[in-house]
Amino acid sequence: MAELAEQTRAFRNALGNFATGVTIVTACGGNDTLAGVTANSFNSVSLDPPLVLWSLDVGSPSLRIMEECSHFCVHILSARQHDLCMNFARSGEHKFADVEFERGLGNAPLFDGCLARFECRNVVHHEGGDHVIIVGEVENFEVNEGDPLIFFRGKLGEVCPV
């Protein structure tokens, strides 16, 4: 059993060598229940129609809302949004308590100051091992200037000019 845990850790460390951007995905479920999670598993799928995907751990308390909501919003975080990232990376029910936001499609919370926001219609879900892959069709998006927040080898950072 210890060998399997060591292999899993080694695999995770190897994957950590791929620097990614960082996102927060938000949604609104029944009874106006809000969900928000930090994720670095975001990717484009198609330009026509405009599709994106991201994945969420099957054990996440937010999974039910993310699967059942009509829309979700993917926020690509700027380097200035480290604290927001960490707030939505933690577990708990009060992630939105001290966060300013407006409402978008499907009442999904929208944060300002992101490099980009993608408001997506929730299209399809696929099982993917210990995660669910969620595909959305982009119905609205916006882009802003700034530097990205990145995730590399288990740590948040900023892009350094070459």
CSV table of all heavy atoms in Angstrom, one decimal, residues 96-161:
chain,number,residue,atom,x,y,z
A,96,PHE,N,-18.2,32.9,0.0
A,96,PHE,CA,-18.6,34.2,-0.6
A,96,PHE,C,-18.9,35.3,0.4
A,96,PHE,O,-19.3,36.4,0.0
A,96,PHE,CB,-19.9,33.9,-1.4
A,96,PHE,CG,-19.7,33.1,-2.6
A,96,PHE,CD1,-19.8,31.7,-2.6
A,96,PHE,CD2,-19.4,33.6,-3.8
A,96,PHE,CE1,-19.6,30.9,-3.7
A,96,PHE,CE2,-19.2,32.9,-5.0
A,96,PHE,CZ,-19.3,31.5,-4.9
A,97,ALA,N,-18.7,35.0,1.7
A,97,ALA,CA,-19.1,35.9,2.8
A,97,ALA,C,-18.5,37.3,2.6
A,97,ALA,O,-19.2,38.3,2.7
A,97,ALA,CB,-18.7,35.3,4.1
A,98,ASP,N,-17.2,37.4,2.3
A,98,ASP,CA,-16.6,38.8,2.2
A,98,ASP,C,-16.1,39.1,0.8
A,98,ASP,O,-15.1,39.8,0.7
A,98,ASP,CB,-15.4,38.8,3.2
A,98,ASP,CG,-15.9,38.7,4.7
A,98,ASP,OD1,-16.9,39.3,5.0
A,98,ASP,OD2,-15.2,38.0,5.5
A,99,VAL,N,-16.7,38.5,-0.2
A,99,VAL,CA,-16.3,38.6,-1.5
A,99,VAL,C,-17.4,39.4,-2.3
A,99,VAL,O,-18.5,39.1,-2.3
A,99,VAL,CB,-16.1,37.3,-2.2
A,99,VAL,CG1,-15.7,37.4,-3.7
A,99,VAL,CG2,-15.0,36.5,-1.4
A,100,GLU,N,-16.9,40.5,-3.0
A,100,GLU,CA,-17.8,41.2,-3.9
A,100,GLU,C,-18.0,40.5,-5.2
A,100,GLU,O,-17.0,40.0,-5.8
A,100,GLU,CB,-17.3,42.6,-4.1
A,100,GLU,CG,-17.3,43.5,-2.9
A,100,GLU,CD,-16.9,44.9,-3.2
A,100,GLU,OE1,-17.1,45.4,-4.3
A,100,GLU,OE2,-16.3,45.6,-2.3
A,101,PHE,N,-19.3,40.4,-5.6
A,101,PHE,CA,-19.5,39.8,-6.9
A,101,PHE,C,-20.9,40.3,-7.4
A,101,PHE,O,-21.7,40.9,-6.7
A,101,PHE,CB,-19.5,38.3,-6.8
A,101,PHE,CG,-20.6,37.7,-5.9
A,101,PHE,CD1,-21.9,37.4,-6.4
A,101,PHE,CD2,-20.3,37.5,-4.6
A,101,PHE,CE1,-22.8,36.8,-5.6
A,101,PHE,CE2,-21.3,36.9,-3.7
A,101,PHE,CZ,-22.5,36.6,-4.2
A,102,GLU,N,-21.1,40.2,-8.7
A,102,GLU,CA,-22.4,40.4,-9.3
A,102,GLU,C,-22.9,39.1,-9.9
A,102,GLU,O,-22.2,38.1,-9.7
A,102,GLU,CB,-22.3,41.5,-10.4
A,102,GLU,CG,-21.2,41.2,-11.5
A,102,GLU,CD,-20.9,42.4,-12.4
A,102,GLU,OE1,-20.1,43.2,-11.9
A,102,GLU,OE2,-21.5,42.4,-13.5
A,103,ARG,N,-24.1,39.1,-10.4
A,103,ARG,CA,-24.6,37.8,-11.0
A,103,ARG,C,-24.6,37.8,-12.5
A,103,ARG,O,-24.9,38.8,-13.1
A,103,ARG,CB,-26.1,37.7,-10.5
A,103,ARG,CG,-26.2,37.6,-9.0
A,103,ARG,CD,-25.7,36.3,-8.4
A,103,ARG,NE,-26.0,36.2,-7.0
A,103,ARG,CZ,-26.6,35.2,-6.4
A,103,ARG,NH1,-27.0,34.2,-7.2
A,103,ARG,NH2,-26.9,35.2,-5.2
A,104,GLY,N,-24.3,36.7,-13.0
A,104,GLY,CA,-24.3,36.5,-14.5
A,104,GLY,C,-25.4,35.5,-14.9
A,104,GLY,O,-26.4,35.3,-14.2
A,105,LEU,N,-25.1,34.8,-16.0
A,105,LEU,CA,-26.1,33.9,-16.6
A,105,LEU,C,-26.3,32.8,-15.5
A,105,LEU,O,-25.4,32.3,-14.9
A,105,LEU,CB,-25.5,33.3,-17.8
A,105,LEU,CG,-25.3,34.3,-19.0
A,105,LEU,CD1,-24.7,33.6,-20.2
A,105,LEU,CD2,-26.6,34.9,-19.4
A,106,GLY,N,-27.6,32.4,-15.4
A,106,GLY,CA,-27.9,31.3,-14.4
A,106,GLY,C,-27.6,31.8,-12.9
A,106,GLY,O,-27.5,30.9,-12.1
A,107,ASN,N,-27.5,33.1,-12.7
A,107,ASN,CA,-27.2,33.6,-11.4
A,107,ASN,C,-25.8,33.3,-10.9
A,107,ASN,O,-25.5,33.4,-9.7
A,107,ASN,CB,-28.2,33.3,-10.4
A,107,ASN,CG,-29.4,34.2,-10.4
A,107,ASN,OD1,-29.3,35.4,-10.8
A,107,ASN,ND2,-30.6,33.7,-10.2
A,108,ALA,N,-24.9,32.8,-11.8
A,108,ALA,CA,-23.6,32.4,-11.3
A,108,ALA,C,-22.8,33.7,-10.9
A,108,ALA,O,-22.9,34.7,-11.5
A,108,ALA,CB,-22.8,31.8,-12.5
A,109,PRO,N,-22.1,33.6,-9.7
A,109,PRO,CA,-21.4,34.8,-9.3
A,109,PRO,C,-20.2,35.1,-10.3
A,109,PRO,O,-19.6,34.3,-10.8
A,109,PRO,CB,-20.8,34.3,-8.0
A,109,PRO,CG,-21.7,33.2,-7.5
A,109,PRO,CD,-22.1,32.5,-8.8
A,110,LEU,N,-20.1,36.4,-10.5
A,110,LEU,CA,-19.0,37.0,-11.4
A,110,LEU,C,-18.1,37.9,-10.6
A,110,LEU,O,-18.5,38.8,-9.9
A,110,LEU,CB,-19.6,37.8,-12.5
A,110,LEU,CG,-20.7,37.1,-13.4
A,110,LEU,CD1,-21.2,38.1,-14.4
A,110,LEU,CD2,-20.0,35.9,-14.1
A,111,PHE,N,-16.8,37.6,-10.7
A,111,PHE,CA,-15.8,38.4,-10.0
A,111,PHE,C,-15.1,39.4,-11.0
A,111,PHE,O,-14.9,39.0,-12.1
A,111,PHE,CB,-14.7,37.6,-9.4
A,111,PHE,CG,-15.2,36.5,-8.4
A,111,PHE,CD1,-14.7,35.2,-8.5
A,111,PHE,CD2,-16.1,36.8,-7.4
A,111,PHE,CE1,-15.2,34.2,-7.7
A,111,PHE,CE2,-16.6,35.8,-6.6
A,111,PHE,CZ,-16.1,34.5,-6.7
A,112,ASP,N,-14.8,40.6,-10.5
A,112,ASP,CA,-14.1,41.6,-11.3
A,112,ASP,C,-12.6,41.4,-11.1
A,112,ASP,O,-12.1,40.7,-10.2
A,112,ASP,CB,-14.5,43.0,-10.9
A,112,ASP,CG,-15.8,43.4,-11.3
A,112,ASP,OD1,-16.3,42.9,-12.4
A,112,ASP,OD2,-16.5,44.2,-10.6
A,113,GLY,N,-11.8,42.0,-12.0
A,113,GLY,CA,-10.4,41.9,-11.9
A,113,GLY,C,-9.7,40.7,-12.5
A,113,GLY,O,-8.5,40.5,-12.4
A,114,CYS,N,-10.5,39.8,-13.2
A,114,CYS,CA,-9.9,38.6,-13.8
A,114,CYS,C,-9.3,38.9,-15.1
A,114,CYS,O,-9.7,39.9,-15.8
A,114,CYS,CB,-11.0,37.6,-13.9
A,114,CYS,SG,-11.8,37.1,-12.4
A,115,LEU,N,-8.4,38.1,-15.6
A,115,LEU,CA,-7.9,38.3,-17.0
A,115,LEU,C,-8.9,37.9,-18.0
A,115,LEU,O,-9.0,38.5,-19.1
A,115,LEU,CB,-6.6,37.4,-17.2
A,115,LEU,CG,-5.4,37.7,-16.3
A,115,LEU,CD1,-4.3,36.8,-16.7
A,115,LEU,CD2,-5.0,39.1,-16.5
A,116,ALA,N,-9.8,37.0,-17.7
A,116,ALA,CA,-10.9,36.6,-18.5
A,116,ALA,C,-12.0,36.0,-17.7
A,116,ALA,O,-11.7,35.4,-16.7
A,116,ALA,CB,-10.5,35.7,-19.7
A,117,ARG,N,-13.2,36.1,-18.2
A,117,ARG,CA,-14.4,35.4,-17.6
A,117,ARG,C,-15.1,34.7,-18.7
A,117,ARG,O,-15.4,35.4,-19.8
A,117,ARG,CB,-15.3,36.3,-16.9
A,117,ARG,CG,-14.9,36.9,-15.6
A,117,ARG,CD,-16.0,37.6,-14.8
A,117,ARG,NE,-16.8,38.5,-15.6
A,117,ARG,CZ,-17.4,39.6,-15.1
A,117,ARG,NH1,-17.2,39.9,-13.8
A,117,ARG,NH2,-18.1,40.4,-15.8
A,118,PHE,N,-15.6,33.5,-18.5
A,118,PHE,CA,-16.3,32.7,-19.5
A,118,PHE,C,-17.6,32.3,-18.8
A,118,PHE,O,-17.6,31.4,-17.9
A,118,PHE,CB,-15.6,31.5,-20.0
A,118,PHE,CG,-14.3,31.9,-20.7
A,118,PHE,CD1,-13.1,32.0,-19.9
A,118,PHE,CD2,-14.2,32.2,-22.0
A,118,PHE,CE1,-11.9,32.3,-20.5
A,118,PHE,CE2,-13.0,32.5,-22.6
A,118,PHE,CZ,-11.9,32.6,-21.9
A,119,GLU,N,-18.8,32.8,-19.3
A,119,GLU,CA,-20.0,32.4,-18.7
A,119,GLU,C,-20.5,31.3,-19.7
A,119,GLU,O,-20.7,31.4,-20.9
A,119,GLU,CB,-21.0,33.5,-18.7
A,119,GLU,CG,-20.7,34.6,-17.7
A,119,GLU,CD,-21.7,35.7,-17.7
A,119,GLU,OE1,-22.7,35.6,-17.1
A,119,GLU,OE2,-21.4,36.8,-18.4
A,120,CYS,N,-20.8,30.1,-19.1
A,120,CYS,CA,-21.0,28.9,-19.8
A,120,CYS,C,-22.3,28.2,-19.5
A,120,CYS,O,-22.6,28.1,-18.3
A,120,CYS,CB,-19.9,27.9,-19.6
A,120,CYS,SG,-18.2,28.5,-19.9
A,121,ARG,N,-23.0,27.7,-20.5
A,121,ARG,CA,-24.1,26.8,-20.3
A,121,ARG,C,-23.6,25.5,-20.0
A,121,ARG,O,-22.7,25.0,-20.7
A,121,ARG,CB,-25.0,26.8,-21.6
A,121,ARG,CG,-26.3,25.9,-21.4
A,121,ARG,CD,-27.2,26.1,-22.6
A,121,ARG,NE,-26.5,25.8,-23.9
A,121,ARG,CZ,-26.3,24.6,-24.4
A,121,ARG,NH1,-26.7,23.5,-23.7
A,121,ARG,NH2,-25.7,24.4,-25.5
A,122,ASN,N,-24.1,24.9,-19.0
A,122,ASN,CA,-23.6,23.5,-18.5
A,122,ASN,C,-24.1,22.5,-19.5
A,122,ASN,O,-25.3,22.3,-19.6
A,122,ASN,CB,-24.2,23.3,-17.1
A,122,ASN,CG,-23.4,22.3,-16.3
A,122,ASN,OD1,-22.6,21.6,-16.8
A,122,ASN,ND2,-23.8,22.2,-15.0
A,123,VAL,N,-23.2,21.9,-20.2
A,123,VAL,CA,-23.6,21.0,-21.4
A,123,VAL,C,-23.5,19.5,-21.0
A,123,VAL,O,-24.5,18.8,-21.2
A,123,VAL,CB,-22.7,21.3,-22.6
A,123,VAL,CG1,-23.0,20.4,-23.7
A,123,VAL,CG2,-22.8,22.7,-23.0
A,124,VAL,N,-22.4,19.0,-20.6
A,124,VAL,CA,-22.2,17.6,-20.4
A,124,VAL,C,-21.1,17.3,-19.4
A,124,VAL,O,-20.2,18.1,-19.2
A,124,VAL,CB,-21.9,16.9,-21.8
A,124,VAL,CG1,-20.5,17.2,-22.3
A,124,VAL,CG2,-22.1,15.4,-21.7
A,125,HIS,N,-21.3,16.1,-18.8
A,125,HIS,CA,-20.3,15.7,-17.8
A,125,HIS,C,-19.8,14.3,-18.1
A,125,HIS,O,-20.6,13.4,-18.6
A,125,HIS,CB,-20.9,15.6,-16.4
A,125,HIS,CG,-21.7,16.9,-16.0
A,125,HIS,ND1,-23.0,16.8,-15.6
A,125,HIS,CD2,-21.3,18.2,-16.1
A,125,HIS,CE1,-23.4,18.1,-15.4
A,125,HIS,NE2,-22.4,18.9,-15.8
A,126,HIS,N,-18.5,14.0,-17.9
A,126,HIS,CA,-17.9,12.7,-18.2
A,126,HIS,C,-17.2,12.2,-16.9
A,126,HIS,O,-16.5,13.0,-16.3
A,126,HIS,CB,-16.9,12.8,-19.3
A,126,HIS,CG,-17.5,13.3,-20.6
A,126,HIS,ND1,-18.2,12.5,-21.4
A,126,HIS,CD2,-17.4,14.5,-21.2
A,126,HIS,CE1,-18.6,13.2,-22.5
A,126,HIS,NE2,-18.1,14.4,-22.4
A,127,GLU,N,-17.3,11.0,-16.6
A,127,GLU,CA,-16.5,10.4,-15.5
A,127,GLU,C,-15.1,10.3,-16.0
A,127,GLU,O,-14.8,10.0,-17.1
A,127,GLU,CB,-17.0,9.0,-15.2
A,127,GLU,CG,-18.4,9.0,-14.6
A,127,GLU,CD,-18.8,7.5,-14.2
A,127,GLU,OE1,-18.0,6.6,-14.1
A,127,GLU,OE2,-20.0,7.3,-14.1
A,128,GLY,N,-14.2,10.7,-15.1
A,128,GLY,CA,-12.8,10.6,-15.4
A,128,GLY,C,-12.0,10.2,-14.2
A,128,GLY,O,-11.3,11.1,-13.5
A,129,GLY,N,-12.1,8.9,-13.8
A,129,GLY,CA,-11.3,8.5,-12.6
A,129,GLY,C,-11.9,9.1,-11.4
A,129,GLY,O,-13.1,9.0,-11.1
A,130,ASP,N,-11.1,9.8,-10.6
A,130,ASP,CA,-11.5,10.4,-9.4
A,130,ASP,C,-12.0,11.8,-9.6
A,130,ASP,O,-12.2,12.6,-8.6
A,130,ASP,CB,-10.4,10.4,-8.3
A,130,ASP,CG,-9.2,11.1,-8.7
A,130,ASP,OD1,-9.1,11.7,-9.8
A,130,ASP,OD2,-8.2,11.0,-7.9
A,131,HIS,N,-12.3,12.2,-10.8
A,131,HIS,CA,-12.8,13.5,-11.2
A,131,HIS,C,-14.0,13.4,-12.1
A,131,HIS,O,-14.1,12.4,-12.8
A,131,HIS,CB,-11.7,14.4,-11.8
A,131,HIS,CG,-10.8,15.0,-10.8
A,131,HIS,ND1,-10.0,14.3,-10.0
A,131,HIS,CD2,-10.6,16.3,-10.5
A,131,HIS,CE1,-9.3,15.1,-9.2
A,131,HIS,NE2,-9.7,16.3,-9.5
A,132,VAL,N,-14.8,14.5,-12.2
A,132,VAL,CA,-15.8,14.6,-13.2
A,132,VAL,C,-15.4,15.7,-14.1
A,132,VAL,O,-15.0,16.8,-13.7
A,132,VAL,CB,-17.2,14.9,-12.6
A,132,VAL,CG1,-18.2,15.2,-13.7
A,132,VAL,CG2,-17.7,13.8,-11.7
A,133,ILE,N,-15.4,15.4,-15.4
A,133,ILE,CA,-15.0,16.4,-16.4
A,133,ILE,C,-16.3,17.1,-16.9
A,133,ILE,O,-17.3,16.5,-17.3
A,133,ILE,CB,-14.3,15.7,-17.7
A,133,ILE,CG1,-13.1,15.0,-17.2
A,133,ILE,CG2,-14.0,16.8,-18.7
A,133,ILE,CD1,-12.6,14.0,-18.2
A,134,ILE,N,-16.3,18.5,-16.7
A,134,ILE,CA,-17.5,19.3,-17.0
A,134,ILE,C,-17.2,20.1,-18.2
A,134,ILE,O,-16.2,20.9,-18.3
A,134,ILE,CB,-17.8,20.1,-15.8
A,134,ILE,CG1,-18.1,19.2,-14.5
A,134,ILE,CG2,-19.0,21.1,-16.0
A,134,ILE,CD1,-18.2,20.0,-13.2
A,135,VAL,N,-18.1,20.0,-19.2
A,135,VAL,CA,-18.0,20.7,-20.4
A,135,VAL,C,-19.1,21.8,-20.5
A,135,VAL,O,-20.2,21.5,-20.2
A,135,VAL,CB,-18.1,19.8,-21.7
A,135,VAL,CG1,-18.0,20.6,-23.0
A,135,VAL,CG2,-17.0,18.7,-21.6
A,136,GLY,N,-18.7,23.0,-20.9
A,136,GLY,CA,-19.6,24.1,-21.0
A,136,GLY,C,-19.5,24.8,-22.3
A,136,GLY,O,-18.4,24.9,-22.9
A,137,GLU,N,-20.7,25.3,-22.8
A,137,GLU,CA,-20.7,26.1,-24.0
A,137,GLU,C,-20.6,27.6,-23.6
A,137,GLU,O,-21.5,28.1,-22.9
A,137,GLU,CB,-21.9,25.8,-24.9
A,137,GLU,CG,-21.9,26.6,-26.2
A,137,GLU,CD,-23.0,26.2,-27.2
A,137,GLU,OE1,-23.7,25.3,-26.9
A,137,GLU,OE2,-23.0,26.9,-28.2
A,138,VAL,N,-19.6,28.3,-24.1
A,138,VAL,CA,-19.4,29.7,-23.8
A,138,VAL,C,-20.5,30.5,-24.4
A,138,VAL,O,-20.7,30.5,-25.6
A,138,VAL,CB,-18.0,30.2,-24.2
A,138,VAL,CG1,-17.9,31.7,-23.8
A,138,VAL,CG2,-16.9,29.3,-23.5
A,139,GLU,N,-21.3,31.2,-23.6
A,139,GLU,CA,-22.3,32.1,-24.1
A,139,GLU,C,-22.0,33.6,-24.0
A,139,GLU,O,-22.6,34.4,-24.6
A,139,GLU,CB,-23.7,31.8,-23.4
A,139,GLU,CG,-24.2,30.4,-23.7
A,139,GLU,CD,-25.6,30.2,-23.1
A,139,GLU,OE1,-26.0,30.9,-22.2
A,139,GLU,OE2,-26.2,29.2,-23.5
A,140,ASN,N,-21.0,33.9,-23.1
A,140,ASN,CA,-20.6,35.2,-22.9
A,140,ASN,C,-19.1,35.2,-22.4
A,140,ASN,O,-18.8,34.3,-21.6
A,140,ASN,CB,-21.5,36.0,-22.0
A,140,ASN,CG,-21.3,37.5,-21.9
A,140,ASN,OD1,-20.8,38.1,-22.9
A,140,ASN,ND2,-21.6,38.1,-20.8
A,141,PHE,N,-18.3,36.1,-22.8
A,141,PHE,CA,-17.0,36.2,-22.2
A,141,PHE,C,-16.5,37.6,-22.3
A,141,PHE,O,-17.0,38.5,-23.0
A,141,PHE,CB,-16.0,35.3,-22.9
A,141,PHE,CG,-15.6,35.7,-24.3
A,141,PHE,CD1,-14.5,36.4,-24.6
A,141,PHE,CD2,-16.4,35.3,-25.4
A,141,PHE,CE1,-14.2,36.8,-25.9
A,141,PHE,CE2,-16.1,35.7,-26.7
A,141,PHE,CZ,-15.0,36.4,-26.9
A,142,GLU,N,-15.5,37.9,-21.4
A,142,GLU,CA,-14.8,39.2,-21.4
A,142,GLU,C,-13.3,39.0,-21.1
A,142,GLU,O,-12.9,38.0,-20.5
A,142,GLU,CB,-15.4,40.2,-20.4
A,142,GLU,CG,-15.1,39.9,-19.0
A,142,GLU,CD,-15.7,41.1,-18.1
A,142,GLU,OE1,-16.8,41.5,-18.3
A,142,GLU,OE2,-14.9,41.5,-17.2
A,143,VAL,N,-12.5,39.9,-21.6
A,143,VAL,CA,-11.0,39.8,-21.5
A,143,VAL,C,-10.5,41.2,-20.9
A,143,VAL,O,-11.0,42.2,-21.3
A,143,VAL,CB,-10.4,39.6,-22.8
A,143,VAL,CG1,-8.9,39.5,-22.7
A,143,VAL,CG2,-10.9,38.3,-23.4
A,144,ASN,N,-9.5,41.1,-20.0
A,144,ASN,CA,-8.9,42.2,-19.4
A,144,ASN,C,-7.4,42.1,-19.4
A,144,ASN,O,-6.9,41.0,-19.6
A,144,ASN,CB,-9.3,42.4,-17.9
A,144,ASN,CG,-10.8,42.6,-17.8
A,144,ASN,OD1,-11.3,43.7,-18.3
A,144,ASN,ND2,-11.5,41.7,-17.2
A,145,GLU,N,-6.7,43.2,-19.3
A,145,GLU,CA,-5.2,43.2,-19.3
A,145,GLU,C,-4.7,42.8,-17.9
A,145,GLU,O,-5.4,42.9,-16.9
A,145,GLU,CB,-4.7,44.6,-19.7
A,145,GLU,CG,-5.0,45.0,-21.1
A,145,GLU,CD,-4.3,44.1,-22.1
A,145,GLU,OE1,-3.1,43.8,-21.9
A,145,GLU,OE2,-4.9,43.7,-23.1
A,146,GLY,N,-3.5,42.3,-17.9
A,146,GLY,CA,-2.8,42.0,-16.6
A,146,GLY,C,-1.9,40.8,-16.7
A,146,GLY,O,-1.8,40.2,-17.8
A,147,ASP,N,-1.3,40.4,-15.7
A,147,ASP,CA,-0.4,39.2,-15.6
A,147,ASP,C,-1.2,38.1,-14.9
A,147,ASP,O,-2.0,38.3,-14.0
A,147,ASP,CB,0.8,39.6,-14.8
A,147,ASP,CG,1.7,40.6,-15.5
A,147,ASP,OD1,1.8,40.6,-16.7
A,147,ASP,OD2,2.3,41.5,-14.8
A,148,PRO,N,-0.9,36.9,-15.4
A,148,PRO,CA,-1.6,35.7,-14.8
A,148,PRO,C,-1.1,35.2,-13.5
A,148,PRO,O,0.1,35.4,-13.2
A,148,PRO,CB,-1.4,34.6,-15.9
A,148,PRO,CG,0.0,35.0,-16.4
A,148,PRO,CD,0.0,36.5,-16.4
A,149,LEU,N,-2.0,34.6,-12.7
A,149,LEU,CA,-1.6,33.8,-11.6
A,149,LEU,C,-1.3,32.4,-12.1
A,149,LEU,O,-2.1,31.9,-12.9
A,149,LEU,CB,-2.7,33.8,-10.6
A,149,LEU,CG,-2.4,33.1,-9.2
A,149,LEU,CD1,-1.3,33.8,-8.5
A,149,LEU,CD2,-3.7,33.1,-8.4
A,150,ILE,N,-0.2,31.8,-11.7
A,150,ILE,CA,0.1,30.5,-12.3
A,150,ILE,C,0.3,29.5,-11.1
A,150,ILE,O,0.6,29.9,-10.0
A,150,ILE,CB,1.4,30.5,-13.2
A,150,ILE,CG1,2.6,30.9,-12.4
A,150,ILE,CG2,1.2,31.3,-14.4
A,150,ILE,CD1,3.9,30.6,-13.1
A,151,PHE,N,0.2,28.2,-11.4
A,151,PHE,CA,0.4,27.1,-10.5
A,151,PHE,C,1.5,26.3,-11.1
A,151,PHE,O,1.4,25.8,-12.2
A,151,PHE,CB,-0.9,26.4,-10.3
A,151,PHE,CG,-0.9,25.3,-9.2
A,151,PHE,CD1,-0.8,25.7,-7.9
A,151,PHE,CD2,-0.9,24.0,-9.5
A,151,PHE,CE1,-0.8,24.8,-6.9
A,151,PHE,CE2,-0.9,23.0,-8.5
A,151,PHE,CZ,-0.9,23.4,-7.2
A,152,PHE,N,2.6,26.1,-10.3
A,152,PHE,CA,3.7,25.3,-10.7
A,152,PHE,C,4.3,24.6,-9.5
A,152,PHE,O,4.6,25.2,-8.5
A,152,PHE,CB,4.7,26.2,-11.4
A,152,PHE,CG,6.0,25.5,-11.9
A,152,PHE,CD1,5.9,24.6,-12.9
A,152,PHE,CD2,7.2,25.7,-11.3
A,152,PHE,CE1,7.0,24.0,-13.4
A,152,PHE,CE2,8.3,25.1,-11.8
A,152,PHE,CZ,8.3,24.2,-12.8
A,153,ARG,N,4.5,23.3,-9.6
A,153,ARG,CA,5.1,22.4,-8.6
A,153,ARG,C,4.4,22.7,-7.2
A,153,ARG,O,5.1,22.8,-6.2
A,153,ARG,CB,6.6,22.7,-8.5
A,153,ARG,CG,7.3,22.1,-9.7
A,153,ARG,CD,8.8,22.2,-9.6
A,153,ARG,NE,9.4,21.6,-10.7
A,153,ARG,CZ,10.7,21.9,-11.1
A,153,ARG,NH1,11.5,22.6,-10.3
A,153,ARG,NH2,11.2,21.3,-12.2
A,154,GLY,N,3.1,22.8,-7.2
A,154,GLY,CA,2.4,22.9,-6.0
A,154,GLY,C,2.3,24.3,-5.4
A,154,GLY,O,1.8,24.4,-4.2
A,155,LYS,N,2.8,25.3,-6.1
A,155,LYS,CA,2.8,26.6,-5.5
A,155,LYS,C,2.3,27.6,-6.5
A,155,LYS,O,2.4,27.4,-7.7
A,155,LYS,CB,4.3,27.0,-5.2
A,155,LYS,CG,4.9,26.2,-4.1
A,155,LYS,CD,6.3,26.6,-3.8
A,155,LYS,CE,6.8,25.7,-2.7
A,155,LYS,NZ,8.2,25.9,-2.5
A,156,LEU,N,1.7,28.7,-6.0
A,156,LEU,CA,1.2,29.8,-6.8
A,156,LEU,C,2.3,30.7,-7.1
A,156,LEU,O,3.2,30.9,-6.2
A,156,LEU,CB,0.1,30.5,-6.1
A,156,LEU,CG,-1.2,29.8,-5.8
A,156,LEU,CD1,-2.2,30.6,-5.0
A,156,LEU,CD2,-1.9,29.4,-7.2
A,157,GLY,N,2.3,31.3,-8.2
A,157,GLY,CA,3.4,32.3,-8.6
A,157,GLY,C,2.9,33.2,-9.7
A,157,GLY,O,1.8,33.2,-10.1
A,158,GLU,N,3.9,34.0,-10.2
A,158,GLU,CA,3.6,34.9,-11.3
A,158,GLU,C,4.6,34.6,-12.4
A,158,GLU,O,5.7,34.0,-12.2
A,158,GLU,CB,3.8,36.3,-10.8
A,158,GLU,CG,2.9,36.8,-9.7
A,158,GLU,CD,3.1,38.2,-9.2
A,158,GLU,OE1,3.5,39.0,-10.0
A,158,GLU,OE2,3.0,38.4,-8.0
A,159,VAL,N,4.3,35.0,-13.6
A,159,VAL,CA,5.1,34.8,-14.7
A,159,VAL,C,6.3,35.9,-14.7
A,159,VAL,O,6.0,37.0,-14.4
A,159,VAL,CB,4.4,35.0,-16.1
A,159,VAL,CG1,5.3,34.9,-17.2
A,159,VAL,CG2,3.3,33.9,-16.2
A,160,CYS,N,7.5,35.4,-14.8
A,160,CYS,CA,8.6,36.3,-14.8
A,160,CYS,C,9.0,36.6,-16.3
A,160,CYS,O,9.1,35.7,-17.1
A,160,CYS,CB,9.8,35.7,-14.1
A,160,CYS,SG,9.5,35.4,-12.4
A,161,PRO,N,9.2,37.9,-16.6
A,161,PRO,CA,9.6,38.2,-18.0
A,161,PRO,C,10.9,37.5,-18.4
A,161,PRO,O,11.8,37.4,-17.5
A,161,PRO,CB,9.8,39.7,-18.0
A,161,PRO,CG,9.2,40.2,-16.7
A,161,PRO,CD,9.1,39.1,-15.8
